[in-house]
Amino acid sequence: MEFPDLTTRTNGRQRKPAGATFPPGHMRDTDKGDTSSSEPEMGNEADGLIRSWDSEDRSHLRLRPGIRGELGNVSLLLFLYVLQGIPLGLAGSIPLILQGKNVSYKDQAFFSFVFWPFSLKLFWAPLVDALYFSRFGRRKSWLVPTQYLLGLFMLYLSLTVDSLLQSDRGPDVLTLTAVFFMLAFLAATQDIAVDGWALTMLSRENVGYASTCNSVGQTAGYFLGNVLFLALESAEFCNKYLRTEPKYTGLVTLPDFLFFWGVVFLVSTTLVAIFKRENGPTSGRRNAPEETKGVMETYKLLFTIVKMPTVFTFCVLLLTAKIGFSAADAVTGLKLVEAGVPKAQLALLAVPMVPLQILLPVVISKYTAGPRPLDVFYRAFPFRLVIGLEYALLVWWTPSVKQDGGFPVYYYSIVLLSYALHQVALYSMYVACMAFHARVSDPLIGGTYMTLLNTVTNLGGNWPSTVALWMVDPLTSKECQGAASQSCGSPAEAGLCVKEGGVCVTTLDGYYVESVVCVVIGLMWWVWLGKKMRQLQEQSPAAWRCRVNQ
């Protein structure tokens, strides 16, 4: 069957793997947005995709009219990015909910695949850029069906999530992972479409505001779907701060929250589909152009870049650099919840971190602006490893601090200070990597080049976190006390132990084993491979230039 209106266009512009910064309740190393990451996702700003303009364009920019005439478009972009952050925030809250239901860390590792799509969307971004229905609109062809599916998935989850979380055999982690993976995949696809639409929705003089909409919108959406939801869902938090008479449930439930946002997705998408013209007039202002490369051409270009010796070496280093931080980033928050720290309180610790996360890139960029930005990465590396050990000590100390009324204020102050120090090290490495990516990327193919490096960086945080979660249970030793003939090596054996009147007691927590092993691996990486990464800064610009027909 032919689809005469299904147009194939050439566009090689790649998306940045957007994401969110996660609170210590689920410290991941993933998006913006493992058990994913407290690490911000690496990305290109939309204005970085705009090429040099001719002399006529430059003279046009001297009269910069501001955004007053485009407030509607800016508001729409901001709203679309907020919608994008909602499923990411919800996905980030599920591991904390699962931890309260005593699921295994292997199940947590399996669920952590939910956070991978934003780190892999480079591989289907060329398709989203190139295939569309011309009559309906290049970006709306993907945005509208994607958001409808997001809304429908949320409505489906609102009806089934309680049964998935509270079945007789425990939470149905497989189905939860499948559904939330689709939510993350659709959100990543929506991000590709919205990023592309931003370049033509806003005029050239205002297109730089697209990155601001992305950052603010995603952060706000993640906050609503994670921090606000966890607070309002917590009966303890609501009874303590929001109610005069205590109740057994919070102000909202997960099904209610999913149903509300599912309806918002469906209604708002319908309004956008009907009333928003994709290529409408912009008050006489000239829109930014989009790059043009075919789908196969883009994939070939990616392969050509990866084959370059310097790029290949750098990618290997990026894929292995975060092994040393994986236990601290992926498991610490879950261990704190396991020790009794309320998940709502952990989520709220992200709020005072926002000013710090805004200021840190500004301050650190002063030290990464020179020819050797990776020196900052190298110096921050051991500091971040030490913080990983401090996290392990914090988890070990937590049970002894717990009181009948919860945890004292000084405990949360120490957790907050630990998280702030972690953010300093994390952002030092993040900004250094971003600066180096910008320095070595071939300007002729900068969008594709930088997005490839950012994707590899994000993947280098995702896979160690998944492995770290997976290995906690195998490295944990338990014995059955009170039933001498029984053991606790598996869930079935643990059940027999309890049936015989015994109790399974942890003699060695795999988290502490992982913490030490990861730090040792990290130190070895820093001593041998860290120097190799610094030496890449000494390569000539020609070693990073991609030799393709332009």
Side-chain angles (χ1 to χ4, degrees):
M1 178 180 295
E2 294 185 359
F3 295 89
D5 200 33
L6 180 60
T7 309
T8 302
R9 289 291 183 269
T10 55
N11 186 357
R13 187 175 64 84
Q14 299 303 321
R15 307 273 76 73
K16 61 182 176 59
T21 302
F22 298 88
H26 30 97
M27 299 174 186
R28 317 210 190 265
D29 200 19
T30 197
D31 63 6
K32 223 170 167 198
D34 355 16
T35 283
S36 165
S37 153
S38 59
E39 183 110 16
E41 297 281 1
M42 314 289 286
N44 309 335
E45 301 295 352
D47 51 347
L49 300 172
I50 306 303
R51 301 308 185 198
S52 299
W53 305 329
D54 55 28
S55 58
E56 179 183 353
D57 296 326
R58 294 177 186 275
S59 63
H60 174 72
L61 284 177
R62 295 192 187 103
L63 300 175
R64 191 180 287 260
I67 64 169
R68 183 172 299 178
E70 294 189 275
L71 284 178
N73 287 338
V74 172
S75 300
L76 176 59
L77 280 177
L78 183 63
F79 177 70
L80 292 176
Y81 282 121
V82 169
L83 289 183
Q84 184 184 122
I86 297 296
L88 300 180
L90 283 171
S93 68
I94 296 300
L96 299 181
I97 295 175
L98 291 176
Q99 194 67 12
K101 298 182 180 300
N102 299 317
V103 302
S104 69
Y105 281 93
K106 286 187 177 180
D107 287 334
Q108 292 279 16
F110 188 73
F111 188 84
S112 71
F113 284 106
V114 164
F115 304 98
W116 284 48
F118 264 83
S119 297
L120 299 174
K121 63 180 180 175
L122 169 67
F123 298 111
W124 69 89
L127 298 175
V128 178
D129 276 340
L131 302 176
Y132 59 93
F133 290 97
S134 59
R135 292 182 183 177
F136 189 55
R138 181 174 195 163
R139 305 305 173 182
K140 286 170 64 176
S141 294
W142 289 90
L143 177 74
V144 171
T146 296
Q147 291 198 168
Y148 271 133
L149 287 174
L150 279 165
L152 292 174
F153 267 105
M154 287 186 174
L155 292 179
Y156 164 75
L157 270 175
S158 71
L159 300 174
T160 60
V161 70
D162 277 345
S163 62
L164 294 176
L165 288 170
Q166 301 172 5
S167 63
D168 295 336
R169 294 177 295 177
D172 187 349
V173 177
L174 176 62
T175 304
L176 284 169
T177 302
V179 176
F180 276 95
F181 183 90
M182 283 305 304
L183 285 176
F185 175 82
L186 291 169
T189 305
Q190 187 253 30
D191 182 55
I192 298 169
V194 175
D195 281 355
W197 198 358
L199 296 181
T200 55
M201 184 184 297
L202 300 180
S203 59
R204 279 184 170 180
E205 57 267 30
N206 292 323
V207 74
Y209 288 102
S211 60
T212 303
C213 292
N214 185 312
S215 177
V216 174
Q218 270 196 353
T219 302
Y222 185 88
F223 181 89
L224 292 173
N226 185 273
V227 178
L228 183 64
F229 163 69
L230 288 174
L232 296 181
E233 186 264 350
S234 169
E236 179 181 352
F237 179 87
C238 292
N239 291 338
K240 186 174 182 180
Y241 298 106
L242 302 177
R243 288 182 176 140
T244 56
E245 296 183 5
K247 296 183 179 180
Y248 293 104
T249 60
L251 292 177
V252 300
T253 64
L254 182 55
D256 292 339
F257 197 83
L258 285 164
F259 181 82
F260 171 79
W261 284 107
V263 172
V264 170
F265 265 91
L266 295 179
V267 173
S268 61
T269 304
T270 301
L271 294 175
V272 170
I274 295 174
F275 295 108
K276 179 60 181 175
R277 292 178 59 190
E278 183 164 329
N279 296 311
T282 56
S283 303
R285 301 175 190 178
R286 308 175 75 178
N287 285 18
E290 295 190 79
E291 296 181 58
T292 55
K293 280 188 175 68
V295 176
M296 293 309 299
E297 183 182 355
T298 301
Y299 286 126
K300 289 179 181 178
L301 179 58
L302 290 171
F303 184 66
T304 302
I305 295 172
V306 171
K307 288 195 303 181
M308 297 165 58
T310 50
V311 175
F312 182 81
T313 300
F314 188 49
C315 287
V316 171
L317 294 173
L318 291 175
L319 287 172
T320 56
K322 296 173 186 173
I323 296 176
F325 318 127
S326 56
D329 291 349
V331 189
T332 300
L334 300 177
K335 280 294 179 181
L336 290 177
V337 173
E338 184 180 313
V341 181
K343 56 183 181 292
Q345 296 287 355
L346 281 177
L348 287 172
L349 289 179
V351 177
M353 289 294 101
V354 173
L356 181 65
Q357 292 163 351
I358 293 174
L359 292 175
L360 279 175
V362 177
V363 175
I364 296 169
S365 62
K366 297 179 181 179
Y367 301 95
T368 59
R372 301 183 62 85
L374 291 182
D375 287 353
V376 175
F377 181 99
Y378 184 80
R379 291 166 187 160
F381 197 97
F383 180 57
R384 190 170 170 185
L385 289 175
V386 171
I387 293 174
L389 289 178
E390 191 270 338
Y391 274 179
L393 289 174
L394 181 65
V395 172
W396 173 81
W397 178 58
T398 295
S400 63
V401 184
K402 188 175 183 181
Q403 302 173 353
D404 292 338
F407 290 86
V409 174
Y410 73 84
Y411 171 79
Y412 288 113
S413 300
I414 292 175
V415 174
L416 187 63
L417 177 61
S418 301
Y419 187 40
L421 293 174
H422 177 265
Q423 293 294 289
V424 173
L426 183 151
Y427 270 88
S428 296
M429 297 174 64
Y430 161 70
V431 175
C433 269
M434 284 292 293
F436 187 70
H437 292 178
R439 190 172 77 86
V440 302
S441 294
D442 191 332
L444 294 178
I445 50 173
T448 302
Y449 205 129
M450 279 198 68
T451 307
L452 172 65
L453 295 180
N454 297 336
T455 298
V456 173
T457 302
N458 295 331
L459 186 59
N462 279 336
W463 78 261
S465 294
T466 298
V467 173
L469 286 166
W470 199 278
M471 292 300 298
V472 171
D473 286 337
L475 293 174
T476 298
S477 298
K478 295 181 179 181
E479 66 179 24
C480 181
Q481 295 183 357
S485 60
Q486 301 298 328
S487 63
C488 298
S490 67
E493 293 174 341
L496 290 175
C497 171
V498 174
K499 188 177 181 179
E500 293 292 328
V503 60
C504 287
V505 177
T506 300
T507 56
L508 179 63
D509 194 324
Y511 166 69
Y512 301 118
V513 177
E514 275 195 355
S515 297
V516 174
V517 170
C518 285
V519 169
V520 171
I521 293 175
L523 284 174
M524 294 171 61
W525 190 98
W526 183 65
V527 170
W528 287 301
L529 298 182
K531 294 180 180 179
K532 179 68 175 177
M533 179 175 276
R534 294 180 72 186
Q535 291 171 1
L536 288 176
Q537 300 174 117
E538 301 169 3
Q539 295 287 335
S540 66
W544 300 92
R545 192 168 298 127
C546 187
R547 294 173 178 82
V548 296
N549 296 325
Q550 304 294 343

